Amino acid sequence: MNFTRRETLALGVGAAALTVLPFRVHAAADEAIAAFTGGAEVGEGGIELTAPEIAENGNTVPIGVSAPGAVAITVLATGNPTPGVVTFNFGAGAASQAASTRIRLAGTQDVVAIAKMADGSFVQAASTIKVTIGGCGG
Amino acid sequence: MKFKAMTAIAALVISAPFMASAEADDDELIVNDEITMVTKTAAPAHLADDVDEIISGWHFRSDETQIMQADDFDNPGMIFVEQAMDDWNTVMGSKDKSCASCHGDVEESMVGVRTVYPKWNDAKETVYTMEMQINDCLTDGMGAEAWKKSGSKMARMEALISVQSRGMPMNVAIDGPAEATWEEGKELYYTRTGQLDLSCASCHEENYGNRIRSDHLSQGQTNGFPVYRLKNAKLTTAHGRFKGCVRDTRAETYNPGSPEFIALELYVASRGNGLSVEAPSVRN
Amino acid sequence: MASGVKPRVKVPKTAAAGEAITIKTLISHKMESGQRKDKEGNVIPRSIINRFTCEFNGESVIDVTLEPAISTNPYIEFDATVPEAGEFKFTWYDDDGDVYDTAKKVAIG
């Protein structure tokens, strides 16, 4: 496999596969979810969270979220000291309701993305990311 | 097409869903769609009895870490290169000179420099690392204070100079006047140290491709240094890494800039002769 | 201003009218989480970029709230529509009250 950037872009077709996993969160994360949703019911489907299965170093973990038609997407790291990670609010100038960033994870844990859709409903996706303890490198 | 770069993360995971093996992969590194890196090649003659192929540490990293190095915007190490560009043009010291006063455009004057360091310095009659040369420029040439060995300013200047040689093969001289230092470095490479009784070779020659805890052991090549480490989000110099390695054998370490590490840098660099300069590389 | 803070953005110089483009942004910032301790055991106070915005000709593209779990040197990538020639404006807000901004023009071609 080559690693020119163009080719990695073109490989993106199958991106949807990784996401939805059994859903278990901690109390602080529950509160953060409630703060975002206002207690509304959260469905599934229509949102993708892309993240590595294994992160080589928890200090810099690349993730991406995408939820066509969302007005906002929040990301929570359920096993961090404070679960909040990032909230993307999409404006009229956004070409897609998708974004990516690099995050810190305190250890192996579930990362949750929740999208607020234009009709006021909410959907979520979750992914378990294993954070390795390095030898000398990590 | 609607999907974008962010989906590349998932795509790469899908393409290799279970990375059970820690061995070097067969990916190809092309930076900015422009610079094709030689990341695997035949070992130099002096290594032929010990190693067949020399392999960049890039091959031992995860796909997510690898793609960060494939584009200068995605590579956080380039932030430090930009900062060093400001240093390059800043007048420092009593002689009112900047690096540029003598060396002009770094993108022209420093091409190829990284590939031959450490190298014999005729006037000083000793092997010089790039750090020593930079400090000579600062003190003698500019009348400024020397920078801390392997400190953050030094690391980013080394990165700026190294970037000008990206893609060019490492080619340090090991014969002639440098030979005695090279031999010292070789001796250190194979000397076991510390409570764990490990030499450089224990990990990086005999066990590269195997795991150490959950990490992948590389060949310990220096062609990517200074390296941006995800661990501390900073540049690490070769001497900084040596110090960490020796410490991890639970030994008292030599210091950055010490004669031992200068000799070791020359020897380890020579084990990578033929690999492309990658600095600033991205590692975990 | 916190020392060494430098914004970088990557935007195509030209786009077709109505084209979707990918924008990458990065700002050099330590993103001190407020979770770490110094050598004496004192908590190092939180100091992060807490908000990032991108506008095109005054219209919002994205408005991002960042928490301490965002890595050092925050990197954000997203897609924008270019309806006409104009200028993207990027703004980062620091906990200490500082605001860093930069802009990029895009032509239609």
Side-chain angles (χ1 to χ4, degrees):
Chain A
M1 169 174 42
N2 283 338
F3 266 121
T4 65
R5 211 172 51 78
R6 194 165 294 133
E7 281 162 319
T8 55
L9 297 189
L11 275 166
V13 188
L18 280 181
T19 42
V20 184
L21 286 170
F23 199 68
R24 193 171 59 83
V25 293
H26 301 274
D30 281 337
E31 281 174 30
I33 292 169
F36 184 70
T37 62
E41 197 172 319
V42 181
E44 291 189 0
I47 179 169
E48 286 172 25
L49 167 62
T50 50
E53 188 181 0
I54 299 172
E56 219 162 22
N57 193 292
N59 210 11
T60 312
V61 183
I63 61 150
V65 290
S66 174
V71 293
I73 303 175
T74 196
V75 178
L76 302 166
T78 58
N80 273 5
T82 55
V85 175
V86 68
T87 303
F88 301 104
N89 298 287
F90 300 101
S96 70
Q97 288 71 49
S100 57
T101 186
R102 296 168 181 166
I103 71 172
R104 293 165 172 158
L105 297 176
T108 296
Q109 58 181 285
D110 289 346
V111 172
V112 180
I114 303 170
K116 180 181 186 181
M117 309 307 284
D119 65 2
S121 66
F122 293 88
V123 289
Q124 72 194 16
S127 185
T128 303
I129 303 177
K130 295 190 183 88
V131 176
T132 61
I133 309 292
C136 316
Chain B
M1 289 199 303
K2 215 48 188 152
F3 51 85
K4 298 291 182 204
M6 67 195 77
T7 55
I9 297 161
L12 289 164
V13 173
I14 285 164
S15 69
F18 300 103
M19 294 275 290
S21 166
E23 289 180 14
D25 64 18
D26 292 322
D27 298 334
E28 196 179 319
L29 176 57
I30 302 171
V31 174
N32 301 333
D33 293 339
E34 279 171 10
I35 311 167
T36 301
M37 296 285 185
V38 175
T39 52
K40 286 184 182 180
T41 191
H46 71 87
L47 261 191
D49 291 341
D50 306 306
V51 177
D52 292 331
E53 186 178 43
I54 51 173
I55 306 167
S56 163
W58 184 82
H59 282 291
F60 298 90
R61 302 275 58 90
S62 72
D63 290 343
E64 293 82 15
T65 307
Q66 286 182 327
I67 52 173
M68 248 185 237
Q69 199 187 319
D71 181 291
D72 279 355
F73 199 90
D74 295 342
N75 180 346
M78 295 306 289
I79 296 168
F80 300 95
V81 170
E82 285 183 7
Q83 290 170 346
M85 187 64 109
D86 293 341
D87 297 339
W88 181 268
N89 293 308
T90 301
V91 171
M92 291 175 264
S94 58
K95 298 184 183 175
D96 284 334
K97 283 186 190 172
S98 68
C99 305
S101 307
C102 295
H103 297 291
D105 184 349
V106 67
E107 292 179 8
E108 290 171 16
S109 60
M110 293 295 134
V111 173
V113 169
R114 170 69 169 79
T115 64
V116 294
Y117 270 96
K119 70 168 189 178
W120 181 257
N121 181 317
D122 268 334
K124 306 283 180 169
E125 296 191 333
T126 188
V127 168
Y128 251 48
T129 62
M130 218 155 62
E131 291 201 359
M132 293 158 80
Q133 184 57 56
I134 290 166
N135 267 342
D136 272 13
C137 281
L138 283 163
T139 54
D140 303 349
M142 300 159 80
E145 293 277 319
W147 287 342
K148 186 184 171 197
K149 289 164 184 166
S150 286
S152 58
K153 274 200 150 185
M154 184 62 87
R156 71 195 194 200
M157 182 56 73
E158 284 184 81
L160 172 67
I161 293 170
S162 299
V163 161
Q164 315 312 328
S165 303
R166 274 196 305 183
M168 297 172 70
M170 282 300 298
N171 184 28
V172 296
I174 64 173
D175 51 3
E179 189 175 356
T181 306
W182 182 81
E183 291 286 358
E184 283 170 37
K186 184 176 181 181
E187 177 81 23
L188 280 164
Y189 189 89
Y190 288 101
T191 302
R192 289 173 177 267
T193 63
Q195 291 175 325
L196 298 184
D197 200 29
L198 295 169
S199 70
C200 305
S202 308
C203 290
H204 298 292
E205 182 173 290
E206 295 160 26
N207 280 296
Y208 68 86
N210 290 331
R211 288 181 187 272
I212 186 162
R213 302 215 290 180
S214 59
D215 208 347
H216 304 182
L217 277 171
S218 74
Q219 286 187 345
Q221 299 289 356
T222 53
N223 58 308
F225 281 82
V227 36
Y228 180 88
R229 295 193 63 188
L230 304 180
K231 171 186 175 172
N232 56 6
K234 284 184 203 166
L235 292 178
T236 295
T237 65
H239 288 203
R241 178 68 266 194
F242 292 164
K243 186 175 175 181
C245 280
V246 177
R247 180 202 60 215
D248 291 346
T249 72
R250 300 189 188 163
E252 288 285 334
T253 78
Y254 305 107
N255 287 320
S258 63
E260 289 85 0
F261 277 174
I262 293 166
L264 189 60
E265 184 184 344
L266 173 60
Y267 177 69
V268 176
S270 78
R271 293 175 67 97
N273 271 351
L275 292 175
S276 297
V277 174
E278 284 179 33
S281 63
V282 182
R283 303 286 188 261
N284 59 322
Chain C
M1 176 187 280
S3 64
V5 176
K6 200 165 186 171
R8 303 171 82 203
V9 296
K10 186 173 183 179
V11 180
K13 286 192 175 64
T14 62
E19 188 183 346
I21 59 166
T22 295
I23 293 175
K24 296 179 177 187
T25 72
L26 188 146
I27 189 162
S28 57
H29 196 282
K30 60 187 183 309
M31 294 293 279
E32 189 61 57
S33 67
Q35 299 287 339
R36 300 199 307 162
K37 290 179 178 173
D38 64 16
K39 281 175 186 158
E40 283 77 45
N42 305 310
V43 171
I44 304 171
R46 169 184 142 152
S47 174
I48 68 168
I49 300 276
N50 57 53
R51 185 179 175 213
F52 163 76
T53 62
C54 170
E55 294 177 353
F56 183 74
N57 290 349
E59 183 169 64
S60 173
V61 176
I62 198 165
D63 186 334
V64 184
T65 305
L66 292 80
E67 305 286 350
I70 293 294
S71 301
T72 304
N73 306 325
Y75 174 94
I76 298 171
E77 180 182 328
F78 52 94
D79 304 325
T81 307
V82 182
E84 74 241 347
E87 188 175 74
F88 283 100
K89 187 173 183 226
F90 305 90
T91 314
W92 291 260
Y93 299 84
D94 196 310
D95 272 351
D96 67 11
D98 285 333
V99 175
Y100 319 101
D101 58 35
T102 189
K104 287 276 178 184
K105 285 194 165 64
V106 179
I108 298 298

Coordinates of all heavy atoms in Angstrom, one line a residue, chain B residues 146-196:
Chain B
A146 N 26.1 30.2 23.5 CA 25.9 28.9 23.0 C 24.5 28.4 23.5 O 24.0 28.8 24.5 CB 26.9 27.9 23.4
W147 N 23.8 27.6 22.6 CA 22.6 27.0 23.0 C 22.8 25.7 23.8 O 23.8 25.0 23.6 CB 21.7 26.7 21.8 CG 21.2 27.9 21.1 CD1 21.0 29.2 21.7 CD2 20.7 28.0 19.8 NE1 20.5 30.0 20.7 CE2 20.3 29.3 19.6 CE3 20.5 27.1 18.7 CZ2 19.7 29.8 18.4 CZ3 20.0 27.5 17.5 CH2 19.6 28.9 17.4
K148 N 21.8 25.4 24.7 CA 21.9 24.2 25.5 C 21.9 23.0 24.5 O 21.1 22.9 23.6 CB 20.7 24.1 26.4 CG 20.7 22.9 27.3 CD 19.4 22.8 28.1 CE 19.4 21.5 28.9 NZ 18.1 21.1 29.4
K149 N 22.9 22.1 24.8 CA 23.0 20.9 24.0 C 21.7 20.1 24.0 O 21.2 19.7 25.1 CB 24.2 20.0 24.5 CG 25.5 20.6 24.1 CD 26.6 20.0 24.9 CE 27.9 20.8 24.7 NZ 29.0 20.4 25.7
S150 N 21.2 19.8 22.8 CA 19.9 19.0 22.7 C 18.7 19.7 23.3 O 17.7 19.1 23.5 CB 20.1 17.6 23.3 OG 20.8 16.8 22.4
G151 N 18.9 21.0 23.6 CA 17.7 21.8 24.1 C 16.7 22.1 23.0 O 16.9 21.7 21.8
S152 N 15.6 22.8 23.3 CA 14.6 23.0 22.3 C 15.0 23.9 21.1 O 14.6 23.6 20.0 CB 13.3 23.5 23.0 OG 13.6 24.7 23.6
K153 N 15.8 24.9 21.4 CA 16.3 25.8 20.3 C 17.2 25.0 19.4 O 17.1 25.1 18.2 CB 17.0 27.0 20.9 CG 16.1 28.1 21.2 CD 16.8 29.4 21.3 CE 15.9 30.6 20.9 NZ 16.6 31.9 20.9
M154 N 18.1 24.2 20.0 CA 19.0 23.5 19.2 C 18.3 22.4 18.4 O 18.6 22.3 17.2 CB 20.0 22.8 20.2 CG 21.1 22.0 19.5 SD 22.2 23.1 18.5 CE 23.4 23.6 19.7
A155 N 17.3 21.7 19.0 CA 16.6 20.7 18.3 C 15.9 21.3 17.1 O 15.9 20.7 16.0 CB 15.6 20.0 19.2
R156 N 15.3 22.4 17.2 CA 14.5 22.9 16.1 C 15.4 23.5 15.0 O 15.1 23.4 13.8 CB 13.5 24.0 16.5 CG 14.0 25.3 17.0 CD 12.9 26.0 17.8 NE 13.2 27.4 18.0 CZ 12.6 28.2 18.9 NH1 11.7 27.7 19.7 NH2 13.0 29.5 19.0
M157 N 16.6 24.0 15.4 CA 17.6 24.4 14.3 C 18.1 23.2 13.6 O 18.2 23.2 12.4 CB 18.7 25.2 15.0 CG 19.7 25.8 14.0 SD 19.0 26.8 12.6 CE 18.6 28.3 13.5
E158 N 18.4 22.2 14.3 CA 18.8 20.9 13.7 C 17.7 20.4 12.7 O 18.0 19.9 11.6 CB 19.0 19.8 14.7 CG 20.3 19.9 15.4 CD 20.5 18.8 16.4 OE1 21.0 17.7 15.9 OE2 20.2 18.9 17.6
A159 N 16.4 20.6 13.1 CA 15.3 20.1 12.3 C 15.3 21.0 11.0 O 15.1 20.5 9.9 CB 14.0 20.2 13.0
L160 N 15.4 22.3 11.2 CA 15.4 23.2 10.0 C 16.5 22.8 9.0 O 16.3 22.8 7.8 CB 15.5 24.7 10.4 CG 15.7 25.7 9.3 CD1 14.5 25.8 8.5 CD2 16.1 27.1 9.9
I161 N 17.7 22.6 9.5 CA 18.8 22.3 8.6 C 18.6 20.9 8.0 O 18.8 20.7 6.8 CB 20.1 22.3 9.4 CG1 20.4 23.8 9.8 CG2 21.3 21.8 8.6 CD1 21.6 23.9 10.8
S162 N 18.1 20.0 8.8 CA 17.8 18.6 8.3 C 16.8 18.6 7.2 O 16.9 17.8 6.2 CB 17.4 17.7 9.4 OG 18.4 17.6 10.4
V163 N 15.7 19.4 7.3 CA 14.7 19.4 6.3 C 15.2 19.7 4.9 O 14.7 19.2 3.9 CB 13.6 20.5 6.7 CG1 12.7 20.9 5.5 CG2 12.7 19.9 7.8
Q164 N 16.3 20.5 4.8 CA 16.9 20.8 3.5 C 17.5 19.6 2.8 O 17.8 19.7 1.6 CB 17.9 21.9 3.7 CG 17.5 23.1 4.6 CD 16.1 23.7 4.3 OE1 15.7 23.7 3.2 NE2 15.5 24.1 5.3
S165 N 17.7 18.6 3.6 CA 18.3 17.3 3.0 C 17.2 16.2 2.9 O 17.6 15.0 2.7 CB 19.4 16.9 3.8 OG 20.4 17.9 4.0
R166 N 16.0 16.5 3.1 CA 15.0 15.4 3.1 C 15.0 14.6 1.8 O 15.0 15.2 0.8 CB 13.6 15.9 3.4 CG 13.3 16.0 4.9 CD 11.9 16.1 5.2 NE 11.3 17.2 4.5 CZ 10.0 17.6 4.7 NH1 9.2 16.9 5.5 NH2 9.5 18.6 4.0
G167 N 15.0 13.3 1.9 CA 15.0 12.5 0.7 C 16.4 12.1 0.3 O 16.6 11.2 -0.5
M168 N 17.4 12.9 0.8 CA 18.8 12.6 0.4 C 19.3 11.5 1.3 O 19.0 11.4 2.4 CB 19.7 13.8 0.5 CG 19.3 15.0 -0.4 SD 20.2 16.5 -0.1 CE 21.8 16.1 -0.7
P169 N 20.2 10.6 0.7 CA 20.7 9.5 1.5 C 21.7 9.9 2.6 O 22.6 10.7 2.3 CB 21.3 8.5 0.5 CG 21.7 9.4 -0.6 CD 20.7 10.5 -0.7
M170 N 21.6 9.3 3.8 CA 22.6 9.5 4.8 C 23.9 9.0 4.3 O 24.0 7.9 3.6 CB 22.2 8.7 6.1 CG 21.2 9.4 6.9 SD 21.7 11.1 7.5 CE 23.1 10.7 8.5
N171 N 25.0 9.7 4.6 CA 26.3 9.3 4.0 C 27.4 9.8 4.9 O 28.3 10.6 4.5 CB 26.4 9.9 2.6 CG 27.7 9.5 1.9 OD1 28.2 8.4 2.2 ND2 28.1 10.3 1.0
V172 N 27.5 9.4 6.1 CA 28.6 9.8 7.0 C 29.8 9.0 6.7 O 29.8 7.8 6.4 CB 28.2 9.7 8.5 CG1 27.1 10.6 8.8 CG2 27.9 8.3 8.9
A173 N 31.0 9.7 6.8 CA 32.3 9.1 6.5 C 32.8 8.4 7.8 O 32.7 8.9 8.9 CB 33.3 10.1 6.1
I174 N 33.2 7.1 7.6 CA 33.7 6.4 8.8 C 35.2 6.0 8.7 O 35.7 5.4 9.6 CB 32.9 5.1 8.9 CG1 33.1 4.1 7.7 CG2 31.4 5.4 9.0 CD1 32.4 2.8 7.9
D175 N 35.8 6.4 7.6 CA 37.2 6.1 7.5 C 38.0 7.4 7.7 O 37.5 8.5 8.1 CB 37.5 5.5 6.1 CG 36.9 6.4 5.0 OD1 36.4 7.5 5.3 OD2 37.0 6.0 3.8
G176 N 39.3 7.4 7.4 CA 40.1 8.6 7.5 C 40.2 9.0 9.0 O 40.1 8.1 9.9
P177 N 40.3 10.3 9.2 CA 40.5 10.8 10.6 C 39.3 10.4 11.5 O 39.5 10.4 12.8 CB 40.7 12.3 10.4 CG 40.1 12.6 9.1 CD 40.3 11.4 8.2
A178 N 38.1 10.2 11.0 CA 36.9 9.9 11.8 C 36.9 8.4 12.3 O 36.1 8.1 13.2 CB 35.7 10.2 11.1
E179 N 37.8 7.6 11.8 CA 37.7 6.2 12.0 C 37.8 5.8 13.5 O 37.1 5.0 14.0 CB 38.8 5.4 11.2 CG 38.5 3.9 11.3 CD 39.5 3.1 10.4 OE1 40.2 3.7 9.6 OE2 39.4 1.9 10.5
A180 N 38.8 6.5 14.2 CA 39.0 6.1 15.6 C 37.7 6.4 16.4 O 37.3 5.6 17.3 CB 40.2 6.9 16.2
T181 N 37.1 7.6 16.2 CA 35.8 7.9 16.9 C 34.7 6.9 16.5 O 34.0 6.5 17.4 CB 35.4 9.3 16.5 OG1 36.5 10.2 16.7 CG2 34.2 9.8 17.3
W182 N 34.7 6.5 15.2 CA 33.7 5.6 14.8 C 33.9 4.2 15.5 O 32.9 3.6 16.0 CB 33.8 5.4 13.3 CG 32.8 4.4 12.7 CD1 31.6 4.7 12.4 CD2 33.1 3.0 12.4 NE1 31.0 3.6 11.8 CE2 31.9 2.5 11.9 CE3 34.2 2.2 12.5 CZ2 31.7 1.2 11.4 CZ3 34.0 0.8 12.1 CH2 32.8 0.4 11.6
E183 N 35.1 3.8 15.7 CA 35.4 2.6 16.5 C 34.9 2.7 17.9 O 34.4 1.7 18.5 CB 36.9 2.3 16.4 CG 37.4 1.8 15.0 CD 37.0 0.4 14.6 OE1 36.4 -0.3 15.4 OE2 37.3 0.1 13.5
E184 N 35.2 3.9 18.5 CA 34.7 4.1 19.9 C 33.2 3.9 20.0 O 32.6 3.3 20.9 CB 35.1 5.5 20.4 CG 36.5 5.7 20.8 CD 36.8 7.2 21.0 OE1 35.9 7.9 21.5 OE2 37.9 7.6 20.6
G185 N 32.5 4.5 19.0 CA 31.1 4.4 18.9 C 30.6 3.0 18.8 O 29.6 2.6 19.4
K186 N 31.3 2.3 17.9 CA 30.9 0.9 17.7 C 31.1 0.1 19.0 O 30.2 -0.7 19.4 CB 31.8 0.3 16.6 CG 31.4 -1.1 16.2 CD 32.3 -1.7 15.1 CE 31.9 -3.1 14.7 NZ 32.7 -3.6 13.6
E187 N 32.2 0.3 19.7 CA 32.4 -0.3 21.0 C 31.2 -0.1 22.0 O 30.7 -1.0 22.6 CB 33.7 0.2 21.6 CG 34.1 -0.3 22.9 CD 34.8 -1.7 22.8 OE1 35.3 -2.0 21.8 OE2 34.7 -2.4 23.8
L188 N 30.8 1.2 22.0 CA 29.7 1.6 22.9 C 28.4 0.9 22.5 O 27.6 0.4 23.3 CB 29.5 3.1 22.9 CG 30.4 3.9 23.8 CD1 30.4 5.4 23.3 CD2 30.1 3.8 25.2
Y189 N 28.2 0.8 21.2 CA 27.0 0.2 20.7 C 26.8 -1.3 21.1 O 25.7 -1.7 21.4 CB 27.0 0.2 19.1 CG 25.7 -0.2 18.5 CD1 24.7 0.8 18.2 CD2 25.4 -1.5 18.1 CE1 23.5 0.5 17.6 CE2 24.2 -1.8 17.5 CZ 23.3 -0.8 17.3 OH 22.1 -1.2 16.7
Y190 N 27.9 -2.0 21.2 CA 27.9 -3.4 21.6 C 28.2 -3.6 23.1 O 28.2 -4.8 23.5 CB 28.8 -4.2 20.7 CG 28.3 -4.3 19.3 CD1 28.8 -3.5 18.3 CD2 27.3 -5.3 19.0 CE1 28.3 -3.7 17.0 CE2 26.8 -5.4 17.7 CZ 27.4 -4.6 16.7 OH 26.9 -4.7 15.4
T191 N 28.3 -2.6 23.9 CA 28.6 -2.7 25.3 C 27.3 -2.8 26.1 O 26.5 -1.8 26.0 CB 29.5 -1.6 25.8 OG1 30.7 -1.6 25.0 CG2 29.8 -1.8 27.3
R192 N 27.1 -3.8 26.9 CA 25.9 -3.9 27.7 C 26.1 -3.0 28.9 O 27.1 -2.9 29.5 CB 25.7 -5.4 28.2 CG 25.3 -6.3 27.1 CD 25.3 -7.7 27.5 NE 24.8 -8.6 26.5 CZ 23.5 -9.0 26.3 NH1 22.6 -8.5 27.2 NH2 23.2 -9.8 25.3
T193 N 25.0 -2.3 29.3 CA 25.0 -1.4 30.4 C 23.8 -1.7 31.3 O 22.8 -2.2 30.8 CB 25.0 0.1 30.0 OG1 23.8 0.3 29.3 CG2 26.2 0.4 29.1
G194 N 23.9 -1.2 32.5 CA 22.7 -1.1 33.4 C 22.3 -2.4 34.0 O 22.8 -3.5 33.7
Q195 N 21.3 -2.2 34.9 CA 20.8 -3.4 35.7 C 20.2 -4.4 34.7 O 20.1 -5.6 35.0 CB 19.8 -3.0 36.7 CG 20.4 -2.2 37.8 CD 19.3 -1.7 38.8 OE1 18.2 -1.3 38.3 NE2 19.6 -1.6 40.1
L196 N 19.6 -3.9 33.6 CA 19.0 -4.8 32.6 C 20.0 -5.5 31.7 O 19.7 -6.3 30.9 CB 17.9 -4.1 31.8 CG 16.8 -3.6 32.7 CD1 15.7 -3.0 31.8 CD2 16.1 -4.7 33.5

